[in-house]
Amino acid sequence: MDFSGAYEWPNLRFLLQGFWVTLQVAGLSIVFSFVLGTLLGTIRFTRIPVLSQIVAVIVDTIRNLPLLLIIFFIHIVLPQLGIKMPPFWSTVVGLSLFEGAMIAEIVRSGLKSVERGQVEAARSSGLSYMQTLSGIIMPQALRRMSPPMVSQFISLLKDTSLAIIISLPELMRNVQILGGQSFDYIIPALLLAAALYFIINYSLSIVARRLEARMN
């Protein structure tokens, strides 16, 4: 192991550049998956005829597919259909679809957890269904679903490492490249990658625990 060589500034900067790509992918995927998951979960909760059933099939199908398969499909199959994306966006789209399906279930469960008596009271007071959903159900549900949603985002950040398979220059890909330059660099690079993942994920886990404690 050559820690001094592995942590020379050019090598360290190369790894940090990969980590920055990881954070960019994770950040965009979190935003897109949250929006998509909230939309799909709300549609499933409202039980709109036909549309809710279609959304349910789509969500259940995506949730039961490996994330790696989804990324492969977007990056390799879609270009053959005329839809070509660079590795960065292939990863973002794949993560957003997969995590969006997971979040959709969290949202649906959160909405269902709101006591029906509150819904009936809001409707009897003259509020429309959409007013009840946006003003009564959703605010309470968002507080309840925050801890599991943060936990899902932690999984999302770790799942960005799967993009190594399509050569996205994220953290683990750069670790692989650096390790290819010298075998002595592999362990130091992996330890640094583990530390970076740990710092971000542990910080998010603290947020999740505090949210859960506040809920309790």
Side-chain angles (χ1 to χ4, degrees):
M1 292 182 291
D2 184 4
F3 283 88
S4 60
Y7 294 159
E8 288 181 351
W9 176 240
N11 294 334
L12 192 60
R13 181 177 60 188
F14 182 65
L15 293 176
L16 292 176
Q17 287 172 343
F19 187 55
W20 173 238
V21 173
T22 293
L23 293 179
Q24 287 179 302
V25 169
L28 289 171
S29 300
I30 285 173
V31 173
F32 294 152
S33 63
F34 175 77
V35 173
L36 179 63
T38 301
L39 177 62
L40 296 178
T42 303
I43 291 174
R44 290 199 66 183
F45 172 77
T46 55
R47 297 181 180 179
I48 301 173
V50 182
L51 182 59
S52 292
Q53 286 81 356
I54 294 174
V55 169
V57 171
I58 293 173
V59 169
D60 289 339
T61 299
I62 294 175
R63 287 177 65 239
N64 287 285
L65 292 176
L67 174 56
L68 189 59
L69 177 62
I70 295 174
I71 294 175
F72 261 135
F73 182 87
I74 293 171
H75 190 67
I76 296 175
V77 178
L78 288 187
Q80 299 180 28
L81 302 176
I83 305 173
K84 188 174 183 179
M85 288 180 281
F88 181 91
W89 288 108
S90 294
T91 306
V92 169
V93 172
L95 281 170
S96 298
L97 289 174
F98 183 78
E99 299 298 337
M102 298 297 184
I103 291 172
E105 283 302 293
I106 295 175
V107 171
R108 186 172 72 95
S109 298
L111 293 172
K112 288 180 65 177
S113 70
V114 178
E115 292 75 10
R116 187 166 182 81
Q118 297 189 44
V119 178
E120 293 173 349
R123 294 303 304 277
S124 64
S125 66
L127 294 178
S128 67
Y129 183 78
M130 292 306 299
Q131 289 174 325
T132 302
L133 180 62
S134 61
I136 304 297
I137 302 175
M138 187 62 76
Q140 296 184 64
L142 282 173
R143 289 195 295 271
R144 297 179 183 184
M145 67 180 78
S146 293
M149 198 169 289
V150 173
S151 298
Q152 193 63 45
F153 292 151
I154 292 174
S155 297
L156 185 155
L157 179 62
K158 292 185 288 187
D159 287 342
T160 58
S161 61
L162 293 175
I164 190 175
I165 202 70
I166 59 173
S167 300
L168 176 69
E170 45 78 50
L171 179 57
M172 292 308 299
R173 174 62 176 170
N174 286 9
V175 167
Q176 182 186 51
I177 293 172
L178 186 61
Q181 295 177 6
S182 173
F183 184 78
D184 292 332
Y185 291 169
I186 294 178
I187 294 179
L190 286 172
L191 289 175
L192 178 61
L196 292 172
Y197 278 120
F198 176 80
I199 291 170
I200 300 299
N201 287 330
Y202 186 68
S203 300
L204 289 175
S205 67
I206 291 175
V207 172
R209 285 200 297 269
R210 288 184 177 177
L211 287 172
E212 189 171 4
R214 182 175 296 181
M215 283 294 305
N216 293 333

